[in-house]
Amino acid sequence: PHGFEILAGARQCPQWLPHEWIDWYKGLGESIRGKVPAKSRLFLNINSEQACQPRIVHAIDQILLEKPCVIEWTEDVATCATMERASQQIRRWRDRGAMIAVDDIGAGQDGIGRVLAVLPHYAKIDCTILDRSRTTSPTFLRNLREILEGIGCKVIIEGIETEDDLRYVREAGFQLVQGYLYPATQHLAIAERAKENPATLSLSPSFLP
């Protein structure tokens, strides 16, 4: 495993209110302490609105003091002003030494624009791009990877669920992949999946062959 993505909820992202997300981030440091391999890369999701929330930013700052994480800027619907404020915060984390990932490239708002705004260490291509390339040309997928690598990113492609998926993206030159093909995705939970537990966490691995 090259790294693990911290997820809120084992099966899907909870539909929490802002104050519930604040509580989740505030408790995250304690939730992961001693429950993940010491040298693991942890990818921690945050969307644009959350990157503008001072209490969430403070909570992440405290986590970074204990364990280096890759701050993963996820796709969401945000105004231009919110996107700019979020990119400023992401750049502040990067300038302080945190590694940065831009998630969901190809889904929703401008993923390439977010990459150019923060110059991340990782770029994660959404599974919708993988699906679209099947109906256009595999060359499209290879070209996108080469563009992102040219910017300086390690590129992860998501949505790898079958051996055919894996062969397809290998032919397009991808080394880092993520998806439900790997049984570890199901077994590396770091908290109980009980529905009554609002702080449920799980880890989704990204693999390097």
Side-chain angles (χ1 to χ4, degrees), residues 53-199:
Q53 166 51 250
R55 285 180 288 180
I56 290 179
V57 169
H58 177 73
I60 291 176
D61 287 343
Q62 297 308 301
I63 294 170
L64 292 175
L65 290 174
E66 285 196 36
K67 184 173 183 60
C69 291
V70 182
I71 305 300
E72 184 169 331
W73 188 9
T74 65
E75 176 57 57
D76 62 329
V77 177
T79 65
C80 290
T82 298
M83 291 279 284
E84 177 55 31
R85 288 175 59 204
S87 68
Q88 290 174 3
Q89 178 58 52
I90 299 292
R91 289 196 297 268
R92 280 194 285 270
W93 278 317
R94 184 199 62 196
D95 293 344
R96 288 166 49 189
M99 299 190 79
I100 304 299
V102 168
D103 194 16
D104 304 315
I105 293 171
Q109 288 180 294
D110 186 6
I112 297 294
R114 289 186 293 132
V115 168
L116 294 174
V118 300
L119 300 177
H121 302 83
Y122 294 91
K124 299 182 74 173
I125 296 177
D126 190 78
C127 59
T128 57
I129 292 290
L130 174 62
D131 293 338
R132 177 63 62 86
S133 75
R134 298 183 196 278
T135 60
T136 54
S137 167
T139 305
F140 165 67
L141 204 59
R142 179 182 294 274
N143 290 346
L144 179 57
R145 175 185 59 77
E146 291 175 348
I147 289 170
L148 293 167
E149 288 177 345
I151 295 170
C153 305
K154 292 182 173 69
V155 183
I156 301 171
I157 188 162
E158 300 178 309
I160 307 306
E161 299 187 355
T162 68
E163 292 289 347
D164 286 342
D165 290 340
L166 186 60
R167 282 191 291 270
Y168 183 74
V169 299
R170 289 284 185 260
E171 290 173 1
F174 287 87
Q175 294 186 346
L176 290 170
V177 303
Q178 182 172 338
Y180 284 97
L181 173 62
Y182 299 100
T185 303
Q186 303 298 327
H187 299 304
L188 287 170
I190 61 174
E192 292 296 327
R193 292 186 173 187
K195 292 180 180 179
E196 63 270 19
N197 179 5

